[in-house]
């Protein structure tokens, strides 16, 4: 099976999220490691860059979000490989060390930044698995806890909200810290870090809004913008920018193999159908026109369904040359040293567009009474267009229908639609409440393209796009071994060996350790 190796990579990377295995602390303790650093800000840049371990799964999360297609992965086998289970755990330990040192040496800004990063990491981890080691995590070296208990997702979310409030308050303090040179996310802009913290808090509140009343919490944020600033433009996006100075700082997609780009990942029919139905220019950014279309002088974009058999994929639309690959923004250097870029794509952790869509949903549901849902909604769409337009390198305008992979010349202005886009039936903010919520959900899902597992997670919460399914179109048989799209990822097998008692407690409380058990906020 041509993409079998992709499955191994996917599950290995997803498995990075489990932060609780046996003796990582002792095995990886380096006596020469800077445990005695009295300037925790020296750790900040490395901690931020480590967040791109989350960035790595963005491209595999694209399959779970049904943006891309990879047939072997989309079969959703649950024999998960965990050879790299500890990597994110190590990163989380570094974050905790930085937080501890910053508190010790009274550096509230660095402490707060660490708390925000840690909160994002645990939000991702609990949204992947559900109940998860949290309160006893990272305590192997300090407290000798190598089999941490699994906290409930409800407990984790409740505490993360408190931690983000704490981070916001720490960032409000006066401090002599000079951290711009060490901060590769916001260059020391404390207000932007506060906006990041509160926008992340808004994400968490909306995620649990189906389980608990969050109206007061969100209302307080909107009524006190000086105390709880939110992102106000795409300039506030929490996005890791790649660098061109050395290979380790390049975009992971720029470093990818030709095989990944040319023959194993294609546009999903789900996003194809939605983008085409709205005449959405983002299709030119996300994907490339088909090889055969360009050969004939036409720009044709065509997707493939997830969960079809290899034999059916080989013939779908006529074969690989009739299917759309990723866009040139995500091209590897092996493909084209002139136009492929190591820095054009970013690793987006949270964007302004998401904030606006969250507010639109909250207003439409009556969770908040401030603002206009249609205004929030339109601002969210516009922000997504603006962001992707800003990532188009100036050189792309000189591309002239490259034959393989095919492309069409592209510049920033091509990504911004005219006003008529917002008047289309599929876009305009009209209809019943359920129809409006679907429009918000679909546009938010599109805006979360390559934002890690967030597109998948939002589908699990909202059900939009409602077309995501393991059942292929055209009456083709499904290759999936489950009957519905995954609701979670099973715990790595290491947990059965090294933390079996706590693992058994967790699954007895949460439900079977399989792909279809729903998380607390999704039940």
């Amino acid at each position: 099976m041509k993409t079998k190796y992709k499955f191994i990579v996917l599950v290995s990377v997803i498995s990075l999220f489990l932060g609780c295995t046996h003796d990582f602390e002792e095995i990886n303790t380096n006596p020469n490691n800077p445990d005695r650093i009295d300037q925790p800000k020296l750790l900040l840049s490395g901690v931020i860059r480590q967040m791109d371990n989350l960035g790595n799964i963005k491209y595999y999360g694209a399959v779970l979000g049904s943006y891309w297609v990879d047939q072997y992965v989309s079969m959703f086998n649950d024999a998960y490989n965990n050879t790299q289970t500890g990597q994110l755990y190590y990163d989380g330990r570094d974050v905790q060390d930085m937080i501890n040192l910053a508190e010790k040496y009274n550096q509230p800004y660095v402490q707060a930044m660490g708390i925000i990063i840690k909160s994002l990491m645990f939000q991702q981890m609990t949204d992947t698995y559900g109940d998860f080691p949290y309160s006893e995590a990272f305590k192997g070296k300090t407290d000798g806890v190598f089999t941490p208990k699994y906290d409930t997702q409800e407990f984790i979310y409740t505490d993360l909200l408190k931690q983000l409030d704490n981070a916001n308050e720490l960032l409000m303090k006066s401090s002599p810290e000079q951290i711009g040179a060490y901060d590769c996310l916001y260059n020391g802009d404390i207000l932007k870090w506060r906006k990041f913290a509160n926008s992340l808090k808004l994400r968490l509140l909306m995620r649990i809004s189906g389980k608990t009343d969050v109206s007061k919490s969100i209302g307080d944020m909107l009524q006190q913008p000086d105390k709880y600033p939110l992102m106000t433009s795409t300039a506030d996006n929490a996005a890791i920018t790649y660098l061109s100075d050395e290979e380790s700082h390049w975009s992971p997609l720029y470093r990818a193999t030709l095989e990944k780009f040319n023959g194993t990942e294609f546009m999903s029919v789900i996003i194809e159908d939605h983008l085409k139905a709205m005449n959405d220019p983002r299709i030119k950014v996300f994907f490339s026109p088909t090889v055969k279309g360009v050969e004939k002088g036409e720009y044709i974009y065509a997707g493939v369904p997830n969960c079809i058999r290899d034999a059916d994929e080989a013939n779908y639309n006529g074969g690989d040359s009739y299917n759309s690959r990723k866009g040139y923004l995500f091209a590897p250097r092996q493909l084209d040293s002139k136009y492929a870029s190591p820095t054009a794509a970013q690793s987006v952790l949270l964007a302004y567009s998401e904030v606006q869509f969250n507010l639109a949903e909250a207003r439409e549901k009556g969770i908040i009474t401030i603002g206009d849902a249609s205004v929030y909604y339109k601002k969210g769409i516009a922000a997504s267009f603006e962001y992707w337009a800003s990532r188009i390198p100036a050189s792309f305008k000189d591309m002239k229908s490259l034959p393989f992979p095919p492309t069409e010349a592209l510049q920033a202005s091509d990504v911004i639609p005219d006003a008529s886009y917002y008047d289309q039936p599929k876009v305009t903010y009209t209809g019943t409440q359920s129809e409006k919520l679907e429009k918000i959900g679909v546009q938010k899902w599109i805006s979360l393209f390559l934002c890690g597992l967030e597109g998948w997670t939002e589908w699990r919460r909202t059900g939009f796009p409602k077309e995501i399914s393991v059942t292929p179109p055209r009456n083709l048989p499904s290759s999936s071994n489950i009957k519905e799209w995954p609701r979670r990822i099973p715990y790595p097998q290491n947990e059965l060996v090294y933390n079996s008692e706590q693992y058994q407690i967790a699954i007895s409380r949460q439900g079977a350790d399989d792909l279809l058990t729903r998380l607390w906020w999704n039940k």
Side-chain angles (χ1 to χ4, degrees):
M1 191 170 291
K2 68 180 183 180
T3 57
K4 183 172 183 178
Y5 82 99
K6 289 294 302 294
F7 167 74
I8 300 299
V9 176
L10 169 65
V11 298
S12 296
V13 177
I14 289 178
S15 293
L16 299 181
F17 282 110
L18 193 64
C20 53
T21 52
H22 198 44
D23 54 356
F24 287 149
E25 295 282 1
E26 294 181 353
I27 291 174
N28 289 277
T29 296
N30 182 345
N32 299 315
N33 215 34
D35 291 334
R36 303 176 186 85
I37 285 181
D38 60 2
Q39 291 295 326
K41 65 185 178 182
L42 297 176
L43 301 175
L44 182 59
S45 181
V47 163
I48 293 172
R49 289 287 171 197
Q50 284 177 342
M51 288 294 286
D52 202 43
N53 283 329
L54 297 180
N56 287 338
I57 81 155
K58 295 177 186 302
Y59 316 112
Y60 302 104
V63 177
L64 282 168
S66 204
Y67 302 108
W68 290 347
V69 167
D70 183 315
Q71 293 315 317
Y72 192 75
V73 169
S74 68
M75 288 173 64
F76 304 124
N77 289 326
D78 58 2
Y80 282 83
N81 176 289
N82 64 226
T83 57
Q84 301 182 60
T85 301
Q87 187 173 338
L88 190 61
Y89 177 83
Y90 305 149
D91 295 349
R93 182 188 60 187
D94 291 343
V95 177
Q96 188 64 58
D97 285 347
M98 186 182 77
I99 293 170
N100 294 342
L101 286 168
E103 184 176 16
K104 177 180 178 181
Y105 291 103
N106 192 28
Q107 295 187 12
Y109 292 170
V110 175
Q111 182 184 354
M113 293 170 188
I115 291 171
I116 296 167
I117 292 170
K118 179 183 174 183
S119 297
L120 177 63
M121 293 171 70
F122 273 100
Q123 174 252 308
Q124 296 279 314
M125 288 187 268
T126 187
D127 284 348
T128 300
Y129 296 110
D131 291 1
F132 194 79
Y134 174 70
S135 60
E136 293 184 352
F138 310 138
K139 292 188 176 180
K141 181 168 63 177
T142 58
D143 299 332
V145 178
F146 295 107
T147 57
K149 68 179 181 180
Y150 286 58
D151 293 299
T152 66
Q153 185 172 68
E154 181 177 9
F155 174 86
I156 295 171
Y157 260 82
T158 300
D159 195 70
L160 289 178
L161 292 169
K162 294 177 182 177
Q163 293 300 319
L164 290 170
D165 278 342
N166 181 34
N168 183 50
E169 291 173 5
L170 288 169
L171 290 170
M172 293 172 66
K173 290 185 175 182
S174 174
S175 173
E177 295 171 83
Q178 299 295 322
I179 60 174
Y182 306 96
D183 177 10
C184 57
L185 186 62
Y186 286 128
N187 195 34
D189 191 322
I190 300 304
L191 178 58
K192 288 188 176 182
W193 274 99
R194 291 180 62 202
K195 290 179 178 181
F196 182 18
N198 289 299
S199 298
L200 179 57
K201 178 182 174 182
L202 177 62
R203 172 192 285 179
L204 269 62
L205 288 168
M206 287 306 296
R207 192 141 296 159
I208 64 174
S209 61
K211 300 294 290 187
T212 187
D213 184 358
V214 299
S215 57
K216 184 179 186 306
S217 295
I218 300 178
D220 286 347
M221 295 172 72
L222 295 179
Q223 291 169 359
Q224 303 175 74
D226 290 340
K227 183 176 181 180
Y228 301 108
L230 293 168
M231 292 180 178
T232 55
S233 74
T234 57
D236 294 331
N237 286 1
I240 298 174
T241 299
Y242 299 107
L243 306 175
S244 58
D245 57 347
E246 59 182 85
E247 186 170 350
S248 63
H249 291 159
W250 294 345
S251 164
L253 285 175
Y254 184 72
R255 302 194 301 263
T257 65
L258 283 176
E259 182 181 4
K260 288 180 67 176
F261 189 88
N262 285 338
T264 67
E265 296 171 341
F266 298 104
M267 173 172 64
S268 162
V269 294
I270 305 298
I271 196 167
E272 173 197 6
D273 290 346
H274 281 283
L275 292 175
K276 285 183 175 179
M278 297 182 290
N279 300 301
D280 197 308
R282 285 173 290 189
I283 197 170
K284 298 178 181 180
V285 183
F286 298 166
F287 306 104
S288 294
T290 67
V291 172
K292 289 299 182 181
V294 171
E295 286 178 356
K296 297 176 182 179
E298 301 176 304
Y299 298 127
I300 298 172
Y301 293 83
V304 181
N306 272 301
C307 300
I308 59 173
R309 300 174 304 181
D310 274 2
D312 293 323
E313 180 201 10
N315 297 308
Y316 202 86
N317 295 330
D320 289 358
S321 294
Y322 295 87
N323 301 323
S324 290
R325 294 161 175 78
K326 295 186 288 291
Y328 230 86
L329 199 62
F330 318 110
R333 65 170 172 164
Q334 291 181 12
L335 182 77
D336 188 329
S337 59
K338 181 178 181 180
Y339 292 113
S341 171
T343 61
Q346 291 181 312
S347 179
V348 179
L349 307 176
L350 198 154
Y352 166 63
S353 56
E354 180 183 342
V355 172
Q356 291 301 300
F357 289 126
N358 279 331
L359 293 175
E361 179 186 346
R363 184 67 182 92
E364 183 59 43
K365 288 181 174 179
I367 294 173
I368 58 174
T369 58
I370 297 174
D372 187 304
S374 65
V375 173
Y376 291 136
Y377 167 74
K378 190 171 181 179
K379 284 184 176 180
I381 298 173
S384 179
F385 283 121
E386 179 185 341
Y387 170 74
W388 287 109
S390 74
R391 303 314 304 168
I392 304 299
S395 63
F396 276 23
K397 70 179 184 299
D398 299 322
M399 295 190 298
K400 303 296 183 184
S401 298
L402 301 180
F404 195 86
T407 189
E408 54 181 309
L410 185 66
Q411 53 188 328
S413 59
D414 296 326
V415 186
I416 306 296
D418 58 37
S420 63
Y421 174 88
Y422 298 93
D423 297 328
Q424 299 177 93
K426 292 282 187 179
V427 181
T428 186
Y429 200 73
T430 57
T432 65
Q433 184 181 64
S434 62
E435 289 170 336
K436 291 176 180 178
L437 289 173
E438 181 173 2
K439 289 176 180 179
I440 295 171
V442 169
Q443 285 285 353
K444 183 179 183 182
W445 170 73
I446 295 172
S447 77
L448 291 171
F449 182 77
L450 292 194
C451 191
L453 297 172
E454 288 303 308
W456 172 52
T457 300
E458 278 299 288
W459 168 81
R460 288 183 286 167
R461 183 180 72 86
T462 69
F464 303 125
K466 58 188 178 184
E467 297 85 1
I468 293 179
S469 171
V470 297
T471 303
R474 303 181 186 177
N475 294 317
L476 292 172
S478 176
S479 64
S480 177
N481 62 333
I482 54 177
K483 293 183 178 181
E484 64 174 287
W485 204 259
R487 293 287 172 172
R488 65 180 289 274
I489 299 300
Y491 298 113
Q493 292 298 307
N494 273 9
E495 286 302 287
L496 279 73
V497 177
Y498 296 119
N499 200 14
S500 59
E501 182 177 350
Q502 298 300 331
Y503 165 84
Q504 292 296 337
I505 293 172
I507 63 173
S508 65
R509 177 179 61 221
Q510 177 171 264
D513 185 21
D514 60 31
L515 292 158
L516 298 182
T517 293
R518 294 191 177 220
L519 309 183
W520 164 71
W521 51 252
N522 194 214
K523 290 181 178 178

